[in-house]
Amino acid sequence: MSKNEITLAGKAYINMSKNEITLAGKVYKDVVDNSVVAPVRAYIQCSWFSPEEIKFMEQGLKTLGTNRSVSLQYSHHPLSHQYKNIDVNQHPEVMADREWQQNTYAMDMHAIYGMDMGIGLFMPSKPDVGQAYEQGVLNALHKPNILLIPDDEKNIPLNLMVGCGNTRIITLSEAANFDFHDVMFTPYDGKVF
């Protein structure tokens, strides 16, 4: 356990306790007890339509699982929350079922409404219009959305709406230590088209 963590009821939490905070270049006393901050609950967007996307999804979930500022248990990962628990990868025929389509869509939208933020596992080499739609919904709801892209895809241009429409875009390796509580808009510094 690091010095920035505390244990409460056998679980480790990030210690966000500060006695002073610097704002606008001046130091102020902070009397609020910020000693325990729960991990964020995120809508985790990703694609799983090819072996490369599945590999990146698994790497992303593993990375997020090591980050104490994100709760995988209380986040919503669409593939893990399919209507009637049907795994679309095991049963692709369900994609033709109107009931499954409508209820899967509704479940995902309700999950977006209830989560603190979005985290997208996005591959610029394989852009997914479904993820772009979910990013737009998060933006319309004024919820932060952080895209995680593969380290080796940083130089692949993104569509302008994806590149400029998300709160922040970071590489997967940066996600391991990223504080998902402290999400500030940062313009994307990569190429867009």
Side-chain angles (χ1 to χ4, degrees):
M1 185 163 35
S2 75
K3 66 179 181 177
N4 291 332
E5 296 175 5
I6 60 171
T7 301
L8 183 64
K11 292 188 177 187
Y13 295 90
I14 296 174
N15 184 352
M16 303 294 284
S17 180
K18 294 182 179 179
N19 293 326
E20 297 179 338
I21 185 166
T22 303
L23 300 171
K26 293 191 177 192
V27 178
Y28 295 90
K29 184 174 182 174
D30 185 358
V31 297
V32 175
D33 180 9
N34 295 311
S35 59
V36 176
V37 176
V40 298
R41 297 167 51 243
Y43 182 86
I44 302 173
Q45 321 117 54
C46 59
S47 301
W48 52 82
F49 308 113
S50 71
E52 298 84 10
E53 291 167 320
I54 292 170
K55 181 180 177 185
F56 184 60
M57 173 187 70
E58 290 171 349
Q59 291 171 333
L61 292 172
K62 183 177 180 181
T63 298
L64 291 172
T66 66
N67 186 313
R68 293 198 182 275
S69 69
V70 178
S71 170
L72 284 185
Q73 181 177 356
Y74 295 108
S75 289
H76 183 88
H77 174 247
L79 185 59
S80 302
H81 296 92
Q82 297 287 295
Y83 179 63
K84 292 188 177 179
N85 294 318
I86 297 173
D87 184 337
V88 71
N89 286 337
Q90 300 293 322
H91 300 281
E93 70 279 1
V94 77
M95 293 293 283
D97 182 310
R98 182 80 60 214
E99 177 188 355
W100 184 88
Q101 294 169 7
Q102 292 299 317
N103 285 290
T104 295
Y105 172 82
M107 287 171 61
D108 288 350
M109 290 301 102
H110 286 285
I112 289 174
Y113 304 150
M115 294 296 115
D116 302 322
M117 64 180 304
I119 299 173
L121 303 172
F122 191 81
M123 297 181 71
S125 64
K126 294 184 171 290
D128 176 7
V129 295
Q131 271 193 66
Y133 178 86
E134 292 165 334
Q135 293 164 23
V137 171
L138 286 155
N139 186 290
L141 293 171
H142 305 283
K143 292 190 179 214
N145 192 50
I146 307 298
L147 286 192
L148 313 181
I149 62 174
D151 290 46
D152 62 351
E153 294 193 14
K154 178 78 171 146
N155 293 324
I156 297 175
L158 294 175
N159 178 285
L160 172 75
M161 300 307 276
V162 172
C164 297
N166 286 286
T167 311
R168 193 153 177 193
I169 300 173
I170 62 175
T171 61
L172 186 59
S173 62
E174 293 173 296
N177 296 312
F178 186 80
D179 183 355
F180 286 90
H181 292 108
D182 191 21
V183 178
M184 301 299 288
F185 172 76
T186 302
Y188 180 57
D189 63 357
K191 296 179 182 177
V192 297
F193 64 89

